[in-house]
């Protein structure tokens, strides 16, 4: 077990990749603070992890808020006496809206959830980790939309590119504090991420689909979770500031 006795915070743990990431950390012995708005889902997650070597501790809240981000890190330290791993996974899409279609409101919401929330969490987590001899480990979940401009709308693409930049800067700045910071960039994965996408841009989706190799299958949450756990483990101890694309080859188009 790679995470026995470790304390891990996973955001966006109520569905999709985050649900699986939280479960896999608990299976490998970690105490996992599982964060999302839907409390009942987090309680189900805790039940699903019963009998595992580790455990799930639900923490409900909106990740765009400073209070929730700082609160979840404080909660981890209160419960475990330390923080070993932070996984910033929560995120929302932008209905594939190109720049002429994005509203101020949508831009702000996507930035708040996908970028400002992770920044709040990282700022607090790095502060805690700097005080630990063991340092710590941050894994951000961006997207292939964070490394190219052709897989999402303007707001999502900008938010995920910025998350990649924030990852690289943090990795570089805290090398001497034994803190690693990396970012996973998934391709299409079967989750609930499209459920809230009710007003999809015809132009945005049309241009994207025209350039997409649709023969490449969608991934599953476990395909991303395995990459996250590897990056967070000591097996990846020389990996820092890396952008890891996990997309079944779709960005080779
Ligand atoms: N699926 C894909 O094809 C794909 C591809 C590339 C990257 N990604 C990225 O992968 C990450 C996980 O997405 P997913 O595909 O697993 O989607 P998902 O099934 O929709 O899960 C998203 C998670 O984020 C949480 N979340 C969303 N807004 C939140 C908020 N304001 N506060 C707290 N939690 C919030 C949701 O929980 P609540 O609703 O309960 O709050 C949920 O647990 C995201 O960052 C996404 O951008 C996904």
């Amino acid at each position: 077990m790679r995470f026995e006795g470790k304390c891990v915070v996973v955001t966006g743990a109520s569905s999709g990749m985050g649900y699986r990431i939280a479960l896999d950390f608990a299976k490998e012995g970690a105490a996992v603070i599982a964060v999302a708005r839907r409390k009942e889902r987090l309680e189900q997650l805790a039940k699903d992890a019963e009998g595992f070597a580790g455990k799930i501790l639900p923490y409900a809240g909106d990740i765009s808020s400073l209070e929730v981000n700082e609160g979840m890190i404080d909660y981890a330290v209160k419960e475990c006496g330390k923080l070993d791993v932070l996984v910033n996974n929560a995120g929302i899409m932008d209905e594939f809206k190109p720049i002429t279609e994005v509203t101020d409101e949508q831009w702000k919401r996507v930035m708040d959830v996908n970028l400002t929330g992770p920044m709040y969490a990282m700022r607090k987590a790095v502060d805690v980790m700097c005080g630990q001899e063991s340092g710590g480990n941050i894994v951000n979940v961006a997207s292939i939309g964070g490394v190219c401009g052709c897989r999402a709308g303007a707001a999502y693409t900008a938010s995920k590119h910025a998350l990649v930049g924030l990852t690289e800067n943090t990795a570089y700045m805290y090398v001497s504090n034994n803190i690693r910071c990396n970012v996973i960039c998934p391709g299409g994965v079967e989750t609930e991420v499209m459920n809230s996408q009710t007003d999809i841009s015809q132009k945005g989706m049309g241009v994207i689909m025209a350039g997409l190799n649709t023969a490449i299958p969608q991934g599953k949450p476990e395909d991303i979770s395995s990459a996250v756990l590897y990056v967070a483990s000591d097996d990846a101890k020389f990996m820092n500031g890396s952008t890891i694309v996990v997309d079944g080859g779709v960005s080779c188009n």
Side-chain angles (χ1 to χ4, degrees):
M1 273 188 297
R2 292 174 293 178
F3 296 97
E4 199 168 6
K6 300 283 186 191
C7 183
V8 178
V9 172
V10 178
T11 72
S14 64
S15 76
M17 301 178 205
Y19 200 96
R20 182 59 192 247
I21 292 165
L23 268 185
D24 286 349
F25 271 115
K27 202 178 282 176
E28 293 219 36
V32 182
I33 304 354
V35 187
R37 290 164 300 180
R38 285 170 292 177
K39 202 172 172 206
E40 67 290 351
R41 290 279 196 103
L42 299 177
E43 279 159 3
Q44 182 59 50
L45 174 66
K47 280 202 186 103
D48 289 354
E50 278 170 12
F52 286 5
K55 61 182 174 184
I56 301 283
L57 300 166
Y59 190 91
D62 187 322
I63 212 64
S64 64
S65 116
L66 173 66
E67 193 191 348
V68 168
N69 278 282
E70 296 199 338
M72 72 189 183
I73 305 294
D74 283 338
Y75 182 57
V77 173
K78 178 173 154 278
E79 289 295 318
C80 311
K82 61 174 182 166
L83 172 67
D84 296 300
V85 180
L86 166 66
V87 181
N88 281 313
N89 162 77
I92 52 171
M93 291 280 294
D94 65 354
E95 297 173 320
F96 301 90
K97 298 266 170 64
I99 191 71
T100 52
E101 294 178 31
V102 71
T103 62
D104 293 352
E105 189 188 12
Q106 186 178 43
W107 176 271
K108 187 171 181 323
R109 186 66 187 156
V110 171
M111 287 295 166
D112 284 351
V113 174
N114 291 3
L115 180 62
T116 308
M119 181 280 286
Y120 290 151
M122 288 168 70
R123 187 168 63 191
K124 179 88 180 171
V126 167
D127 196 38
V128 170
M129 289 168 178
C130 280
Q132 304 177 158
E133 210 170 298
S134 56
N137 216 302
I138 297 169
V139 184
N140 291 322
V141 178
S143 165
I144 49 171
V147 292
C148 72
C150 54
R151 290 292 175 261
Y156 185 87
T157 301
S159 71
K160 296 295 193 179
H161 271 71
L163 188 58
V164 170
L166 183 60
T167 301
E168 291 182 357
N169 182 262
T170 304
Y172 189 69
M173 290 290 173
Y174 295 93
V175 164
S176 61
N177 299 94
N178 200 19
I179 297 170
R180 293 194 295 114
C181 185
N182 294 286
V183 57
I184 302 284
C185 293
V189 180
E190 289 167 22
T191 68
E192 297 175 14
V193 79
M194 290 300 289
N195 290 4
S196 60
Q197 304 296 284
T198 51
D199 184 27
I200 288 173
S201 164
Q202 294 299 307
K203 177 179 173 62
M205 188 57 116
V207 172
I208 287 165
M209 289 309 288
L212 195 63
N213 179 353
T214 50
I216 289 171
Q218 292 242 304
K220 302 235 184 294
E222 59 264 34
D223 297 323
I224 306 306
S225 179
S226 59
V228 169
L229 267 74
Y230 167 70
V231 168
S233 77
D234 288 344
D235 292 339
K237 67 183 190 314
F238 196 52
M239 193 177 271
N240 191 26
S242 298
T243 301
I244 302 106
V245 173
V246 186
D247 71 344
V250 74
S251 52
C252 302
N253 265 347

